[in-house]
Amino acid sequence: MSDIKNIRDQFLSKLKNELSLDEINSIKTELFGKNGQISSLFKTVGSIPESDRKTFAADLNKIKDELQSLISEKIKEIETKEVNQKLEKEKVDITLPERPFVRGKIHPVSQTIDEISSIFSEIGFSVEEGPDVENEYNNFTALNTPDNHPARDMHDTFYLDENKEVLLRTHTSPVQIRTMLKDKPPFKIIAPGRTYRSDSDQTHAPMFHQVEGLHIDKDINMGHLKGCLNYFIKEFFEVEKIKMRFRPSHFPFTEPSAEVDIGYEIRDGKIVIGEGDQWLEILGCGMVHPNVLKNVKVDPAKYQGYAFGIGIDRLAMLKYGINDLRAFFDCDYRWLNHFGFDPLDVPTNYRGLSR
Ligand code: DAH
């Protein structure tokens, strides 16, 4: 018993010291290793006189448990301390930016759409939207373009089903139909968005952008159309005066119909809008055909108005000096960085559109 007590006292005092993991492990071997002091005492149990054996074994077990749990505790303590020291040393300063902060740019087409919306909102137009996947009725039939009408072939339509009932809209004009079907006149809306035709070269992309305009009320005539477009073109190109020419044309959904050209000249290799004697076609328009109004349950005897469709990409190219339409859809970051706009500088009429 005195042996056991001695070992206990001796090791309890050893374990009180500040110890390293290696030191603890060697204490562990000293006690419980193959020839360790406790292990050796266990080997003597058989030779202890029978009368004392039970108490001896019980004492030995008690001390073994006591020392073992003390050692485990110490090991845990040291390990926690080491992990904490390591964490302290390896701290990452997450407040440091990885790279200098670069702000993204607004694509010139988005910028142009924002500018157009801002200009028309100043004279009371609201913005409507329609889906890119449209039905045949809204895209053609309701717009007075029945089956086998030649205008259907001209549109190079992407059909999405065999029956040719679902398609990618070929123009933004179906938004006229959607708007008039869901509300009552008067209507004064624009509808910018994506349009699709199976056509691709330097001046045509299979996906492009248009903005539709529609103004229906009781006494709307072609003079209003002219005034509205005149205002829009001046505001958009940020010029005092423009030259504008209405050329008779044909669209199934308007009567009469016209295409509008604007005058320009090339000066020092740059296009100047509003001067010179060259003409550039920028939009189609006309007075909404009575058949279209009937199709959306608007009485053509009471209401009439005008509509127009403008190619947005063409306008953006003109205003911002971009000469290949395909660059819009290349996703070239360098190009976007050069031609893109500051996202925090939202275009407004009073603060300036594109500065
Ligand atoms: N939807 C026509 C097109 O894509 C453009 C157009 C012409 C729209 C005359 C109109 C309009 O609203 O009145 O070619």
Side-chain angles (χ1 to χ4, degrees):
M1 179 63 212
S2 68
D3 263 0
I4 299 180
K5 200 180 166 311
N6 282 342
I7 294 175
R8 180 180 179 268
D9 292 344
Q10 183 196 339
F11 280 91
L12 280 185
S13 83
K14 266 196 189 180
L15 285 169
K16 273 202 188 101
N17 300 329
E18 183 91 17
L19 298 167
S20 71
L21 204 54
D22 283 348
E23 285 166 331
I24 296 260
N25 278 328
S26 72
I27 291 179
K28 206 170 154 189
T29 326
E30 253 179 80
L31 285 168
F32 306 110
K34 219 165 152 212
N35 299 314
Q37 302 199 31
I38 298 281
S39 315
S40 306
L41 282 179
F42 269 109
K43 282 181 201 149
T44 65
V45 171
S47 58
I48 301 282
E50 193 151 359
S51 52
D52 298 335
R53 200 180 292 158
K54 222 172 164 186
T55 359
F56 178 83
D59 287 343
L60 192 56
N61 267 321
K62 208 171 137 209
I63 280 164
K64 179 194 113 189
D65 288 346
E66 188 187 9
L67 289 172
Q68 253 174 357
S69 71
L70 197 62
I71 287 175
S72 318
E73 238 170 67
K74 276 264 174 194
I75 290 179
K76 223 175 179 175
E77 221 172 76
I78 292 171
E79 280 175 349
T80 315
K81 210 166 126 195
E82 277 180 3
V83 169
N84 283 340
Q85 275 170 352
K86 210 166 163 200
L87 281 178
E88 188 65 33
K89 254 204 311 226
E90 291 177 1
K91 214 152 119 190
V92 179
D93 182 358
I94 55 165
T95 61
L96 273 180
E98 187 194 343
R99 283 195 212 130
F101 179 68
V102 181
R103 192 190 283 162
K105 290 282 181 98
I106 300 291
H107 193 284
V109 170
S110 306
Q111 167 79 15
T112 305
I113 291 176
D114 289 347
E115 289 177 23
I116 293 173
S117 306
S118 168
I119 294 169
F120 280 108
S121 73
E122 284 290 304
I123 52 168
F125 283 82
S126 54
V127 177
E128 284 288 336
E129 279 183 338
D132 293 11
V133 174
E134 191 44 283
N135 60 52
E136 173 281 328
Y137 180 79
N138 287 343
N139 196 81
F140 290 124
T141 309
L143 287 162
N144 200 32
T145 318
D147 230 351
N148 68 42
H149 190 289
R152 287 208 183 195
D153 296 336
M154 280 156 56
H155 275 213
D156 300 313
T157 312
F158 285 115
Y159 286 99
L160 300 179
D161 66 338
E162 276 174 12
N163 298 334
K164 298 192 165 180
E165 280 162 6
V166 185
L167 45 79
L168 291 177
R169 66 179 179 188
T170 57
H171 49 180
T172 42
S173 305
V175 186
Q176 289 188 29
I177 302 301
R178 288 179 173 270
T179 306
M180 293 194 283
L181 280 175
K182 74 168 195 237
D183 260 323
K184 297 230 163 326
F187 302 104
K188 197 172 182 186
I189 59 115
I190 56 161
R194 293 195 179 118
T195 46
Y196 305 83
R197 287 184 205 177
S198 179
D199 200 355
S200 173
D201 58 39
Q202 192 170 353
T203 53
H204 294 93
M207 189 279 288
F208 55 104
H209 299 84
Q210 286 189 341
V211 57
E212 194 75 12
L214 174 74
H215 187 185
I216 303 284
D217 209 332
K218 285 195 170 136
D219 293 304
I220 301 296
N221 59 47
M222 241 170 135
H224 294 111
L225 168 62
K226 240 180 140 171
C228 168
L229 292 176
N230 190 61
Y231 156 81
F232 166 68
I233 293 162
K234 274 205 298 218
E235 290 290 320
F236 181 77
F237 287 105
E238 300 173 57
V239 291
E240 292 290 311
K241 68 176 200 331
I242 50 148
K243 283 166 77 179
M244 192 168 75
R245 164 170 103 172
F246 278 61
R247 241 177 331 97
S249 183
H250 173 78
F251 299 104
F253 30 89
T254 41
E255 182 58 37
S257 304
E259 279 173 316
V260 173
D261 302 335
I262 51 171
Y264 74 96
E265 69 177 8
I266 304 283
R267 209 186 290 153
D268 303 327
K270 279 209 180 117
I271 186 160
V272 182
I273 302 287
E275 283 166 54
D277 51 9
Q278 314 251 64
W279 295 98
L280 198 84
E281 182 202 318
I282 58 158
L283 64 92
C285 61
M287 299 304 290
V288 176
H289 198 292
N291 286 351
V292 174
L293 296 176
K294 279 184 212 152
N295 287 340
V296 294
K297 311 275 177 293
V298 171
D299 182 357
K302 282 196 194 141
Y303 288 97
Q304 57 185 329
Y306 61 81
F308 54 83
I310 311 176
I312 292 178
D313 313 275
R314 178 60 98 68
L315 284 191
M317 287 169 77
L318 277 175
K319 184 164 176 178
Y320 296 115
I322 296 160
N323 51 26
D324 189 340
L325 177 74
R326 289 168 296 194
F328 279 141
F329 312 116
D330 276 349
C331 294
D332 183 332
Y333 185 74
R334 293 159 304 175
W335 181 89
L336 190 57
N337 212 19
H338 179 74
F339 285 104
F341 291 83
D342 187 335
L344 297 180
D345 213 358
V346 182
T348 59
N349 285 31
Y350 55 89
R351 244 188 38 213
L353 292 170
S354 58
R355 262 170 282 276

